[in-house]
Amino acid sequence: MKLLVIGSGGREHALVWKLAQSPHATRLWCAPGNAGIAAERLARDGAAVECVAIGSEGLPELLAFAQEHRPDLTVVGPDNPLSLGIVDLFQKNGLRIWGPNQRAAQFEASKAFSQRFMEAHGIPTARSGTFNDPSEAKKFAATLGGRCAVKADGLALGKGVLLTGSVSEAERAVDEIMVSRAFGAAGARVVIQEFLEGMEISLHAICDGSTAKLFPTSQDHKRALDGDQGPNTGGMGAYSPAPFLSEEDLAATRKQILDPWLRGCAEEGVDFRGILYPGVMLTKSGPKVLEFNARFGDPEAQVYLTRLENDLVELLDASASGTLANVELKWSRNVSVCVVMASGGYPGAYAKGKVIRGLGHAAQLPSTKVFHAGTARPGDEIVTSGGRVLGVTAWAADLASARAAAYAAVAKIRFDGAQRRGDIGAKALP
Ligand code: AMP
């Protein structure tokens, strides 16, 4: 099968790496890809993965490329093209593509849509309100004593959520999002949720419109600094499995969250084919959904895909075709840990073009894979080109060994200003 992957981050490198291992993959393009993706080769015949200089939001250009090269399946990594309707566009033009259509992608593209859906179908979530008017929003925040999450309704690069601890902070947050439009048009409407306390975990399920198969647990690390301090980021590291849910808890969570979600989709005629990724808070009164995403998490994809034993081409094909019921997910018993190396200053302003050294040494380590995110190769050397630069991933029989291996690989890699957290997975250590 000829495959086209859309996106350029660590998640997409992990997707390309895993797809390239499949004997079904005969040709693989990635638009736009990155320096690490361009270095991958197909297991079948050693052919190079080809990066194509089209951004993931260039829908007309992506369509034209696909019409010319006829991939048998296009795989969409990031949320933006999904919410722009790339799946509908490709399907209208007779091209097979994996990912939720525009309507289904609303689970991520509109927090108001998700909140209404959860309330309508009995999915446990935070007490919340949705507002088009700042003064109504502030009144509601005051009823929560100002302890809340103020969320821009639309997509905001994972940044449109402000956590507040007092009425005055909540009022400032509403003004920032709705009046100053700190996150642009995404802030025309806000969702305000009560502040939930507990351990946060990531769930992923692969869906085919009627069946959903739950993945093992994982945990992301959203804050920039050790000990969950500092600003929210796209994710500074992840590991899987996360030991905070037993098999029984996971089965109960499936009943409480995934089953009503599937019933709701059937009732409302939402045809969701792709990854549903609920962010879940394990509270004293049970699991509650904070938000839904409609694609693989990044860096969760890096830890899941280094544990997945199924052929990814077959799995995504089944998800797109509606035949997931026949597929059994198989996971290695290893623990996988991904440590993100980011540019100095991220998630704020940062410099680009810093030469990355030591990648060759890290590549020689066993049970380790350095996924690239913001990297480029303008000449002979690989340089930084984004906030999150690398997702250094290692796997081993237990968490302590996997962490040690991931940090040993991190220690081999250098670039000016590199920052990383030193405590990825630490919460789960005995
Ligand atoms: P979201 O993009 O909605 O997942 O929010 C980003 C991050 O903000 C989450 O990963 C949580 O760490 C935090 N957060 C979101 N909603 C809440 C909430 N209701 N209570 C506490 N923390 C939250």
Side-chain angles (χ1 to χ4, degrees):
M1 273 170 86
K2 294 187 285 179
L3 304 162
L4 167 63
V5 174
I6 294 176
S8 63
R11 166 184 49 216
E12 287 75 26
H13 189 180
L15 285 166
V16 164
W17 171 80
K18 186 72 183 166
L19 290 168
Q21 290 167 26
S22 167
H24 298 293
T26 55
R27 194 154 182 198
L28 210 168
W29 298 276
C30 186
N34 60 37
I37 291 172
E40 293 295 338
R41 294 185 170 273
L42 301 187
R44 188 187 164 107
D45 59 5
V49 170
E50 299 158 73
C51 287
V52 182
I54 306 174
S56 60
E57 289 167 35
L59 268 53
E61 295 82 4
L62 290 167
L63 176 64
F65 179 86
Q67 284 175 321
E68 186 185 343
H69 296 276
R70 310 302 304 179
D72 299 293
L73 187 68
T74 295
V75 173
V76 188
D79 47 346
N80 278 7
L82 295 171
S83 73
L84 292 169
I86 192 167
V87 170
D88 313 62
L89 178 70
F90 272 46
Q91 286 174 344
K92 224 183 292 162
N93 286 278
L95 292 158
R96 290 191 72 230
I97 183 163
W98 176 79
N101 60 31
Q102 194 169 28
R103 177 145 184 258
Q106 281 186 95
F107 278 108
E108 175 155 13
S110 168
K111 293 193 187 280
F113 172 89
S114 276
Q115 206 64 40
R116 178 205 58 77
F117 186 96
M118 287 195 273
E119 282 157 26
H121 300 289
I123 297 168
T125 181
R127 196 149 75 83
S128 80
T130 298
F131 304 94
N132 296 305
D133 173 54
S135 61
E136 294 297 316
K138 289 177 189 172
K139 265 189 228 156
F140 180 74
T143 68
L144 300 171
R147 286 181 49 73
C148 47
V150 183
K151 305 187 174 190
D153 173 43
L155 292 181
L157 294 170
K159 291 183 187 158
V161 175
L162 301 175
L163 303 176
T164 65
S166 68
V167 173
S168 61
E169 264 179 44
E171 290 181 345
R172 266 203 305 280
V174 168
D175 283 335
E176 207 175 305
I177 295 178
M178 300 192 86
V179 183
S180 317
R181 292 288 169 97
F183 309 109
R189 184 154 65 159
V190 293
V191 170
I192 297 186
Q193 292 180 333
E194 69 177 312
F195 189 90
L196 294 177
E197 307 218 34
M199 181 71 85
E200 191 178 344
I201 57 158
S202 301
L203 296 180
H204 279 55
I206 188 160
C207 314
D208 72 352
S210 53
T211 297
K213 302 246 167 178
L214 194 58
F215 286 13
T217 49
S218 67
Q219 189 171 45
D220 187 7
H221 297 66
K222 298 248 190 227
R223 302 292 198 95
L225 306 175
D226 282 15
D228 293 332
Q229 303 296 308
N232 255 326
T233 68
M236 292 299 289
Y239 65 99
S240 172
F244 312 109
L245 280 184
S246 65
E247 284 301 315
E248 298 77 60
D249 294 336
L250 197 59
T253 303
R254 192 200 150 91
K255 273 216 179 73
Q256 288 167 351
I257 295 173
L258 212 50
D259 291 353
W261 177 82
L262 271 174
R263 279 196 299 274
C265 285
E267 273 171 36
E268 298 195 18
V270 177
D271 184 10
F272 192 106
R273 298 175 191 230
I275 297 283
L276 182 77
Y277 152 20
V280 174
M281 195 70 93
L282 303 175
T283 73
K284 282 199 192 106
S285 47
K288 294 192 175 172
V289 176
L290 298 177
E291 62 155 359
F292 285 118
N293 301 293
R295 36 83 197 169
F296 269 107
D298 185 346
E300 288 91 332
Q302 291 85 318
V303 292
Y304 280 134
L305 294 173
T306 48
R307 292 189 62 211
L308 181 71
E309 291 181 341
N310 299 69
D311 181 306
L312 188 61
V313 175
E314 290 174 12
L315 183 60
L316 301 188
D317 194 53
S319 164
S321 318
T323 56
L324 263 185
N326 309 327
V327 178
E328 190 196 340
L329 293 183
K330 296 194 196 81
W331 302 96
S332 93
R333 299 176 71 84
N334 284 333
V335 179
S336 213
V337 174
C338 173
V339 177
V340 170
M341 297 180 76
S343 297
Y346 175 78
Y350 54 82
K352 294 184 185 178
K354 304 289 181 195
V355 175
I356 307 172
R357 300 197 193 282
L359 289 169
H361 292 295
Q364 284 163 16
L365 298 171
S367 304
T368 301
K369 176 72 191 174
V370 178
F371 292 114
H372 289 223
T375 69
R377 188 172 211 152
D380 289 341
E381 292 178 312
I382 294 182
V383 302
T384 66
S385 69
R388 291 188 295 170
V389 177
L390 300 167
V392 182
T393 307
W395 50 96
D398 59 78
L399 176 64
S401 311
R403 286 187 80 221
Y407 280 109
V410 165
K412 304 249 180 237
I413 302 171
R414 298 174 309 283
F415 53 90
D416 272 358
Q419 59 161 337
R420 47 120 184 127
R421 278 180 61 160
D423 64 345
I424 302 303
K427 282 195 207 90
L429 288 172

